[in-house]
Amino acid sequence: MSKNSRDPFSRPQRLLGEGMLASARRHPEKTALVIEGEPYTYGQLHDASLRLAAALKNRGLQPGDRVAIYMDNTWPCVVSIYATLLAGGVFFVINPQTKKKKLQFLLQDSEAKLLLTDSHLAKVFLPAVQEQKTASLRSIIFSGSLLPGETATAQLPDITIENFAAVLAASTPLPLPEALPVIPLDLAAFIYTSGSTGEPKAVMQTHQSMVFAAWSLIEYIRLSAHDRIMVVLPFAFDYGLYQLLMTMKLGATLVVERSFTFPALIYKRIREEEATVFPGVPTIFAMMITSHRKKPLRFPTITRVTNTAATLPAQFIPELQEIFPRALIFKMYGLTECKRVSYLEPELVEQKPQSIGKAIPGTEIFLLSPEGEEVPTG
């Protein structure tokens, strides 16, 4: 048997957490994340994720158990995602703007066993959990400095409430042979729909489907380990989440902000961090164009701009080309259920402004009539 055949990181990545482990093994000192200006290395993420994974298992997490991550785009949120994967759990990220009633529904519908959250959201999650009285939830781990400890314990006597930093400090990293105790067809994550036409629905994603989608996106967006991807979209949104997953698989760097609420800060961060990829949605690009008309914006380090969710209006293209003079602009179409359906080659963005392009690598797409028959071109 060759040395490489014994090396678990020399084989193809079949499970969602393997990308981060492989990148950390190759270059532990490389910056994996810059979160609100603070850098974190792959080695730090590797250590923290394995520590939290061990803590989750010690708190009763079994393979397939659901873990709710109700957090902002922060270091604890990233660690929580990878710790859940390494422990064999199924994670789902809840938008931090979610209110009590919807949070209650998500916790009950998912049968979440653990809730990882932020202390500043206590005014929402404490009453939500107290009133819900779900049988599944056993533990809450919160990031941040303070919670009303005695009050919280009195409100939730059957649930353990602990501090994120304290849990990590007291935990020993999960041994790698024990990490990822799942197979590719097991569930990796839930991605909840918005609920615009009723209650939110959990799209159930296997390791296999998410690994495939991440590599297909990496291929057609032409990403590499040298990229520095900027994300201002919430990790609760699959478009934001996949920026993290793709970055970790490549061993690239992700520049993370909580939102696009303060555009001037985002513009400063793009320049400081020399970001090369900027994923956005039409509302973000509309704000950038408005700013550009008042005072010209120019980001020459950006080499790829991507858009999904709503259609990118054709009239945006000329001004986006002024703002990002060296960037290829990718117009894309997708559904939460399958992540991404199609993309338009950026070289065709001016020739075919209304097109949603062709199938992403490794897939096929076709249109059916109401009778279920494949329709001809046109």
Side-chain angles (χ1 to χ4, degrees):
M1 182 181 288
S2 70
K3 180 180 178 183
N4 281 344
S5 67
R6 293 196 303 270
D7 181 352
F9 305 114
S10 66
R11 63 177 182 245
Q13 296 171 17
R14 299 184 179 94
L15 301 173
L16 199 56
E18 286 180 326
M20 183 277 289
L21 294 177
S23 294
R25 183 178 181 278
R26 287 195 301 269
H27 33 60
E29 298 306 316
K30 182 175 180 178
T31 298
L33 303 139
V34 180
I35 302 180
E36 297 182 308
E38 182 73 22
Y40 298 89
T41 67
Y42 275 95
Q44 287 175 299
L45 179 58
H46 179 272
D47 179 71
S49 298
L50 287 171
R51 286 179 184 275
L52 184 58
L56 298 181
K57 292 191 73 170
N58 288 339
R59 283 151 185 79
L61 186 74
Q62 298 294 318
D65 283 344
R66 284 55 160 149
V67 177
I69 301 172
Y70 179 43
M71 288 178 162
D72 283 301
N73 284 10
T74 57
W75 170 248
C77 182
V78 175
V79 172
S80 297
I81 289 170
Y82 278 96
T84 302
L85 290 170
L86 296 178
V90 178
F91 77 88
F92 62 102
V93 185
I94 302 171
N95 193 310
Q97 296 181 0
T98 299
K99 303 305 180 190
K100 184 182 75 172
K101 185 176 179 182
K102 185 175 178 181
L103 178 61
Q104 287 176 319
F105 171 82
L106 296 175
L107 293 174
Q108 188 163 16
D109 182 71
S110 65
E111 299 181 345
K113 193 163 188 176
L114 292 103
L115 171 62
L116 302 173
T117 186
D118 295 327
S119 60
H120 72 87
L121 297 171
K123 61 183 181 296
V124 179
F125 75 74
L126 282 176
V129 173
Q130 181 187 26
E131 294 174 22
Q132 182 193 24
K133 295 182 171 62
T134 176
S136 59
L137 195 65
R138 286 288 175 263
S139 179
I140 296 173
I141 299 175
F142 68 91
S143 72
S145 54
L146 295 173
L147 265 187
E150 292 182 6
T151 305
T153 303
Q155 289 176 329
L156 305 169
D158 299 325
I159 295 175
T160 303
I161 302 177
E162 300 171 277
N163 176 266
F164 183 91
V167 167
L168 254 64
S171 182
T172 301
L174 183 69
L176 279 176
E178 296 180 28
L180 294 166
V182 291
I183 63 171
L185 291 178
D186 286 330
L187 286 176
F190 288 167
I191 300 177
Y192 272 91
T193 60
S194 62
S196 55
T197 57
E199 295 287 11
K201 295 178 176 62
V203 175
M204 303 168 73
Q205 299 279 5
T206 65
H207 286 264
Q208 185 178 67
S209 67
M210 296 185 81
V211 168
F212 167 80
W215 281 114
S216 184
L217 270 61
I218 285 167
E219 179 181 339
Y220 79 73
I221 301 173
R222 311 171 198 179
L223 300 176
S224 79
H226 302 294
D227 277 310
R228 298 174 68 83
I229 302 172
M230 181 90 197
V231 62
V232 298
L233 305 160
F235 293 141
F237 181 22
D238 68 338
Y239 190 23
L241 175 63
Y242 270 82
Q243 308 308 317
L244 171 65
L245 301 178
M246 292 187 298
T247 301
M248 297 301 106
K249 287 188 170 303
L250 280 168
T253 298
L254 189 68
V255 181
V256 183
E257 293 293 327
R258 296 188 188 214
S259 70
F260 198 74
T261 304
F262 302 103
L265 175 61
I266 303 304
Y267 303 154
K268 179 173 179 283
R269 201 78 78 196
I270 292 173
R271 294 187 179 100
E272 286 179 347
E273 298 299 333
E274 298 183 339
T276 62
V277 183
F278 188 85
V281 293
T283 51
I284 287 176
F285 293 127
M287 293 170 68
M288 297 184 86
I289 288 169
T290 299
S291 299
H292 178 63
R293 289 171 181 172
K294 295 176 183 176
K295 183 179 179 181
L297 293 173
R298 193 170 183 274
F299 302 109
T301 64
I302 300 289
T303 58
R304 273 134 307 158
V305 169
T306 65
N307 176 85
T308 190
T311 303
L312 185 67
Q315 64 267 28
F316 282 16
I317 301 299
E319 286 174 290
L320 287 179
Q321 289 171 330
E322 293 175 7
I323 295 169
F324 304 104
R326 295 182 56 235
L328 299 171
I329 297 174
F330 287 82
K331 297 177 69 173
M332 307 182 295
Y333 168 70
L335 301 166
T336 304
E337 289 79 358
C338 57
K339 174 53 195 162
R340 193 67 44 76
V341 173
S342 62
Y343 74 104
L344 181 66
E345 293 277 9
E347 291 81 2
L348 301 176
V349 73
E350 293 179 70
Q351 294 172 245
K352 299 187 174 185
Q354 304 304 324
S355 175
I356 61 166
K358 62 183 181 180
I360 67 172
T363 71
E364 61 178 351
I365 57 174
F366 47 87
L367 298 177
L368 299 180
S369 70
E371 293 73 37
E373 300 295 326
E374 192 167 339
V375 301
T377 301

